Amino acid sequence: MQKTTLGKSTLKVTRLSYGCWRIAGTWNSNRVTPQARKEGAQRVITAYEAGFTFFDLADIYCDGVAEEIFGEALRKSKSLRRAAVIATKCGIRPPNTPASGAPYRYDFSQEYITRSCDDSLKRLGVDCIDLFQLHRPDYLMDPSHVAKAFARLKKAGKVKHFGVSNFKPSQIATLQSALKQPLLVNQVEISLSQLEPFEDGTLDQCLAEKITPMAWSPLGGGHLGDGAKEVLPSQEGYRTGKIRRALDKLAREFGVSRGAIALAWLLQHPAGIVPVVGTTQPERIKELTAADAIEMTREQWYS
């Protein structure tokens, strides 16, 4: 798979990222069996063998179990451990932590960011995280506190680079004003079903500031692929019949799957969008890598 550079760094990653939020097979950590862990680790290895070297995680994915499973995959495959570029996220706190009655909330306090990083390092079984992101905006964010946390983690050698997820352009600008190091990525929902980043300034800012946009749910929760099996409430109303017909036409022309065309459509954008592929089916993982070799004309893209 071809490589791209993340943001203003020299860090090279594959143009597609493998998203690990489903590798445990459930969101309920209490339901994860030893067999599920084994299968999850194999999914990661399958993605690596298909060409992926950029892996997307978060501390809340199955309450940290996804990070543990990824760590197990690293222990099983030495070549994966050498090649993997690991991205994970923090900042979303589950309810009833640290005390009963606490609400589901966001926390960008200096103490919570640094502790979250330490916890992720332990679960992953690594000494350093390549890309550490703030998951969703904390409306009580103090940029100076975040800057101190990032500086401490960078100085300690625990994190190489930083980014954000689901931030608006103004929120990125506010945070960046307090940081010494550049934010490399902004991970947001982008797909043919979700075009808001093309119109709200997100991709414009990415181009102007050399921030790499990462696209979560690039197949619209499955609506643009083989069908939506489990979608977010915000994705339930997506109407994709016309889009799917246009994708099918191009899929026949290029000899690939509908999903590969939907990903290739994102790869065409000059901001360097990195789609995060989340399928757990081995044949689908391999099939979607075909997007990396597709070059569309402007006419095909707009159709």
Side-chain angles (χ1 to χ4, degrees):
M1 196 183 300
Q2 298 179 68
K3 297 288 185 71
T4 188
T5 302
L6 275 191
K8 295 178 180 178
S9 74
T10 58
L11 186 62
K12 297 285 187 179
V13 300
T14 45
R15 294 174 76 206
L16 299 175
S17 171
Y18 185 66
C20 299
W21 75 289
R22 288 182 173 140
I23 59 173
T26 176
W27 271 96
N28 189 336
S29 58
N30 295 321
R31 296 180 180 176
V32 181
T33 64
Q35 180 62 25
R37 287 177 176 269
K38 182 178 179 181
E39 292 173 356
Q42 185 55 51
R43 288 169 182 137
V44 173
I45 293 171
T46 296
Y48 168 62
E49 291 174 346
F52 291 85
T53 60
F54 188 23
F55 296 90
D56 175 71
L57 298 117
D59 57 359
I60 66 163
Y61 293 166
C62 199
D63 298 325
V65 174
E67 289 182 328
E68 293 175 356
I69 290 174
F70 190 86
E72 292 169 16
L74 293 178
R75 289 190 289 275
K76 286 184 177 181
S77 173
K78 292 182 179 179
S79 59
L80 168 65
R81 191 178 187 94
R82 288 192 296 270
V85 175
I86 302 171
T88 195
K89 300 181 282 291
C90 78
I92 300 179
R93 298 195 72 162
N96 300 311
T97 60
S100 177
Y104 183 85
R105 65 208 186 278
Y106 307 106
D107 191 342
F108 288 177
S109 65
Q110 182 179 346
E111 183 272 336
Y112 189 70
I113 291 172
T114 54
R115 190 172 82 241
S116 295
C117 181
D118 288 338
D119 290 344
S120 287
L121 288 168
K122 184 177 180 179
R123 287 189 291 264
L124 291 164
V126 299
D127 297 323
C128 183
I129 293 167
D130 296 296
L131 176 65
F132 197 50
Q133 298 162 263
L134 301 178
H135 204 152
R136 284 187 178 272
D138 173 9
Y139 297 129
L140 297 179
M141 175 185 74
D142 185 325
S144 66
H145 292 178
V146 175
K148 290 176 183 177
F150 282 7
R152 178 182 295 179
L153 293 173
K154 178 81 171 178
K155 184 177 181 180
K158 296 178 180 180
V159 175
K160 292 180 181 177
H161 305 284
F162 299 92
V164 295
S165 182
N166 301 297
F167 271 47
K168 297 298 183 184
S170 60
Q171 293 166 330
I172 288 181
T174 299
L175 177 57
Q176 185 62 74
S177 68
L179 301 176
K180 292 183 178 180
Q181 62 273 72
L183 294 167
L184 296 193
V185 308
N186 184 18
Q187 184 174 155
V188 296
E189 184 183 8
I190 319 173
S191 74
L192 279 157
S193 298
Q194 175 52 272
L195 301 175
E196 187 175 343
F198 290 85
E199 301 169 346
D200 68 1
T202 295
L203 292 178
D204 297 330
Q205 182 187 51
C206 286
L207 274 168
E209 303 296 334
K210 290 184 172 58
I211 297 170
T212 297
M214 294 177 67
W216 62 263
S217 204
L219 298 182
H223 286 288
L224 302 173
D226 288 342
K229 298 179 179 65
E230 183 181 359
V231 299
L232 298 173
S234 61
Q235 299 173 325
E236 291 175 356
Y238 287 172
R239 298 291 179 264
T240 58
K242 185 176 180 181
I243 301 171
R244 286 161 65 97
R245 289 191 290 274
L247 288 170
D248 285 341
K249 181 177 183 294
L250 285 176
R252 289 191 294 271
E253 292 179 17
F254 283 97
V256 299
S257 69
R258 177 194 300 142
I261 292 294
L263 297 181
W265 187 85
L266 293 172
L267 291 174
Q268 199 81 10
H269 195 274
I273 297 171
V274 175
V276 180
V277 176
T279 181
T280 59
Q281 301 174 38
E283 66 278 6
R284 292 274 290 145
I285 293 172
K286 298 171 185 175
E287 161 196 311
L288 292 173
T289 62
D292 184 51
I294 295 171
E295 290 289 336
M296 294 183 187
T297 64
R298 281 178 172 262
E299 291 74 21
Q300 289 171 324
W301 193 91
Y302 273 103
S303 72

